């Protein structure tokens, strides 16, 4: 019969002195107190691994931070795990990893990692819009929330006030973006499932509204108003440029002088600026060249064609044209993006090939083989159409001052 281990006492643990070498005092059941030569006292649980049967030491902490009673309770809990076939050391490490994951894998941290990937697939302006939406609507309350703890009711409660305000499109975009973050988290092994997958069903659906634009017959009114408006020359040129080139507001506002080949009469917009991340070329008409000539004295010595007033080395705000149209009296009738719709409707009514129009609008063709063909042949085939459109705008401006007339007239 084995001798029963003598239990340690609080007095003994407190008074034991360090020697020249480390010494170990046993309390029984695998609990040991290691007294180091430097005077430190360390609790240790010695046990056999439930599977391999190898002897393992698991540190429990230092004395007096961990008292004798606490060390015994920790030993009792660990022995219970061993009896269940669980290695207490591995069990503890897993819990620590889980706690660390909760602290590190917050919504802010995971969203930041997702955004680093996402921003390379969209335009810079759209990327800024995405991150601002998180900062404004999500991070104030859920910045430090563990990604693994997010639930659909939690998000619905957060977005309900936005829905109540009538901003249904905002709710739609936010739910889509949060779902992208959750899918990213799943792919990275941070969570096993996405509890927000069906969250959009918890909100009203936004009613799709057509982009505010003018009818083709209203183009002369636009040109007349533009000619008489009290706006800066750069803004006037920008609006006409966007109208002639059929480009998006951000593409027009960020046009750089080094993107033009004036000899070949081509404007090449880099893929990074395009919505679909594909290089887009615009054949330049005489009217477009006239606008560039009008801007040359203002910005020809700077990077951007349409510079910012406050910071001339940077481009103007992408909403400059939109704000000007509102001040000119076109609120609820025309937005700057609607200039593209005006061009598309007019060209379609005049019987131009739909494929040429779609190519001019930089709408990506789903047929990739056809897209490769579009980028070469379609450029030259688009020239006559773009020339017709520029002349059509010029005719609508008859009797009014248009900056495009500098070259064409």
């Amino acid at each position: 019969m084995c001798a029963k281990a003598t239990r340690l006492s609080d007095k003994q643990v407190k008074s034991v002195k360090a020697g020249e070498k480390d010494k170990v005092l046993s309390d029984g059941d695998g609990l040991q107190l290691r007294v180091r030569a430097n005077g430190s006292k360390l609790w240790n649980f010695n046990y056999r691994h439930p599977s391999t049967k190898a002897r393992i030491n698991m540190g429990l902490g230092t004395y007096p931070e961990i008292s004798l009673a606490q060390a015994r309770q920790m030993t009792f809990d660990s022995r219970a795990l061993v009896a269940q076939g669980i290695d207490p050391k591995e069990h503890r490490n897993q819990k620590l990893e889980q706690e660390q994951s909760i602290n590190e894998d917050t919504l802010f941290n995971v969203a930041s990692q997702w955004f680093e990937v996402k921003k390379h697939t969209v335009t810079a302006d759209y990327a800024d819009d995405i991150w601002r939406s998180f900062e404004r609507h999500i991070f104030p309350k859920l910045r430090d929330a563990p990604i693994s703890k997010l639930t659909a009711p939690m998000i619905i409660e957060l977005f309900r006030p936005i829905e109540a305000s009538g901003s249904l499109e905002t709710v739609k975009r936010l739910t889509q973006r949060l779902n992208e973050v959750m899918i990213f988290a799943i792919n990275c092994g941070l969570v096993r499932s996405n509890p927000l997958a069906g969250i959009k069903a918890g909100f009203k659906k936004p009613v799709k509204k057509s982009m505010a634009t003018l009818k083709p017959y209203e183009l002369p009114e636009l040109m007349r108003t533009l000619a008489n408006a009290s706006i800066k020359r750069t803004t006037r040129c920008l609006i006409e440029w966007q109208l002639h080139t059929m480009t998006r507001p951000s593409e027009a506002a960020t046009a750089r002088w080094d993107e033009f080949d004036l000899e070949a009469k081509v404007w090449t917009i880099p893929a990074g600026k395009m919505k679909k991340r594909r290089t887009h070329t615009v054949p330049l008409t005489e009217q477009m060249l006239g606008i560039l000539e009008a801007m040359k004295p203002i910005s020809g010595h700077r990077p951007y064609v349409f510079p910012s007033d406050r910071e001339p080395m940077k481009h103007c705000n992408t909403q400059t044209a939109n704000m000007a149209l509102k001040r000119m009296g076109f609120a609820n009738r025309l937005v700057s993006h609607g200039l593209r719709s005006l061009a598309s409707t007019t060209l379609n009514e005049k019987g131009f090939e739909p494929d040429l129009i779609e190519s001019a609008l930089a709408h990506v063709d789903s047929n990739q083989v056809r897209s490769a063909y579009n980028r070469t042949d379609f450029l030259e085939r688009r020239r006559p159409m773009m020339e017709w459109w520029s002349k059509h705008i010029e005719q609508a401006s008859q009797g009014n001052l248009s900056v495009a007339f500098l070259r064409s007239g």
Side-chain angles (χ1 to χ4, degrees):
M1 185 174 180
C2 296
K4 190 174 181 179
T6 303
R7 296 288 184 178
L8 297 173
S9 65
D10 287 317
K11 183 178 180 181
Q12 184 181 6
V13 172
K14 183 177 182 180
S15 61
V16 64
K17 303 295 182 182
E20 293 182 2
K21 297 181 179 180
D22 291 359
K23 53 185 173 182
V24 177
L25 304 180
S26 178
D27 186 61
D29 296 328
L31 177 59
Q32 301 171 337
L33 178 67
R34 181 178 294 274
V35 183
R36 306 295 299 273
N38 61 10
S40 62
K41 300 175 183 178
L42 311 174
W43 293 113
N44 180 66
F45 173 51
N46 181 268
Y47 65 99
R48 288 189 181 278
H49 191 280
S51 300
T52 66
K53 305 305 178 183
R55 277 288 177 186
I56 297 176
N57 286 318
M58 182 173 74
L60 303 179
T62 61
Y63 177 88
E65 287 75 19
I66 302 296
S67 67
L68 174 59
Q70 290 173 321
R72 283 173 175 167
Q73 182 60 51
M74 293 167 73
T75 300
F76 178 82
D77 294 338
S78 297
R79 286 173 60 83
L81 289 173
V82 173
Q84 299 173 55
I86 301 172
D87 179 6
K89 194 171 185 178
E90 292 176 4
H91 178 74
R92 182 178 65 181
N93 290 341
Q94 288 175 358
K95 287 188 65 176
L96 289 174
E97 288 178 4
Q98 290 175 356
E99 291 174 4
Q100 184 178 5
S101 174
I102 288 175
N103 293 329
E104 291 182 356
D105 298 334
T106 61
L107 177 56
F108 176 80
N109 289 342
V110 177
S112 297
Q113 295 171 36
W114 163 79
F115 184 68
E116 281 301 309
V117 177
K118 179 70 175 181
K119 69 181 183 182
H120 295 294
T121 65
V122 297
T123 62
D125 285 337
Y126 189 55
D128 288 341
D129 177 71
I130 291 174
W131 194 246
R132 280 198 302 269
S133 70
F134 275 83
E135 291 181 325
R136 181 179 180 185
H137 301 294
I138 299 174
F139 291 153
K141 289 190 176 181
L142 296 178
R143 179 189 180 94
D144 298 323
I147 196 79
S148 60
K149 301 296 182 181
L150 294 182
T151 63
M154 185 187 300
I155 303 303
I156 289 175
E157 181 182 356
L158 179 65
F159 292 166
R160 196 64 82 191
I162 305 175
E163 178 191 41
S165 71
S167 301
L168 302 183
E169 280 292 344
T170 299
V171 173
K172 179 182 176 181
R173 287 194 297 270
L174 289 172
T175 56
Q176 288 174 339
R177 290 165 185 175
L178 265 182
N179 267 283
E180 285 192 45
V181 173
M182 293 304 297
I183 292 172
F184 174 83
I186 290 174
N187 291 335
C188 291
L190 305 179
V191 292
R192 293 185 177 181
S193 61
N194 178 14
L196 311 183
I199 197 173
K200 66 179 182 180
F203 302 99
K204 299 174 185 175
K205 291 183 178 180
V207 178
K208 192 170 184 179
K209 297 180 180 179
S210 300
M211 190 77 67
T213 188
L214 299 178
K215 300 294 184 182
Y217 69 83
E218 294 177 302
L219 179 58
E221 177 193 351
L222 170 63
M223 301 310 296
R224 182 172 60 254
T225 305
L226 181 60
N228 297 307
S230 297
I231 58 176
K232 295 177 181 178
R233 188 171 181 79
T234 298
T235 304
R236 187 192 309 275
C237 288
L238 173 62
I239 294 174
E240 288 199 32
W241 180 256
Q242 192 178 330
L243 183 62
H244 280 272
T245 60
M246 299 166 57
T247 48
R248 298 178 179 88
S250 62
E251 296 158 8
T254 60
R256 293 176 59 98
W257 287 106
D258 58 12
E259 294 169 353
F260 294 94
D261 183 340
L262 298 182
E263 186 176 339
K265 295 185 178 181
V266 171
W267 173 27
T268 303
I269 309 175
K273 291 185 180 182
M274 300 302 298
K275 181 179 180 181
K276 298 298 183 180
R277 311 299 283 184
R278 197 179 77 172
T279 300
H280 180 58
T281 53
V282 179
L284 299 175
T285 64
E286 291 299 312
Q287 290 79 2
M288 295 177 199
L289 293 170
I291 296 173
L292 292 179
E293 283 191 15
M295 286 304 303
K296 212 161 216 178
I298 300 173
S299 63
H301 56 297
R302 293 173 177 143
Y304 294 97
V305 178
F306 307 104
S308 165
D309 286 335
R310 294 182 179 180
E311 300 179 85
M313 296 303 290
K314 295 183 178 181
H315 62 77
C316 65
N317 192 300
T318 57
Q319 288 299 309
T320 295
N322 209 33
M323 293 184 287
L325 289 171
K326 285 183 180 179
R327 292 196 300 270
M328 289 160 55
F330 288 101
N332 301 319
R333 290 183 61 197
L334 174 66
V335 294
S336 60
H337 204 286
L339 295 172
R340 286 161 54 82
S341 297
L342 174 59
S344 176
T345 300
T346 303
L347 293 172
N348 274 291
E349 286 185 355
K350 293 300 178 179
F352 284 95
E353 289 184 51
D355 286 343
L356 295 179
I357 298 172
E358 291 300 292
S359 180
L361 293 168
H363 289 163
V364 176
D365 192 325
S366 59
N367 186 321
Q368 294 303 308
V369 175
R370 187 177 182 183
S371 293
Y373 177 72
N374 288 349
R375 289 197 294 273
T376 53
D377 182 72
F378 271 35
L379 174 63
E380 294 308 316
R381 290 175 61 189
R382 275 164 42 208
R383 282 192 186 277
M385 181 184 73
M386 298 302 287
E387 288 169 359
W388 181 93
W389 172 236
S390 280
K391 287 178 181 177
H392 181 72
I393 297 170
E394 183 178 319
Q395 290 170 1
S397 306
Q398 290 299 327
N400 299 300
L401 179 64
S402 168
V403 290
F405 289 178
L406 282 175
R407 186 182 181 99
S408 63

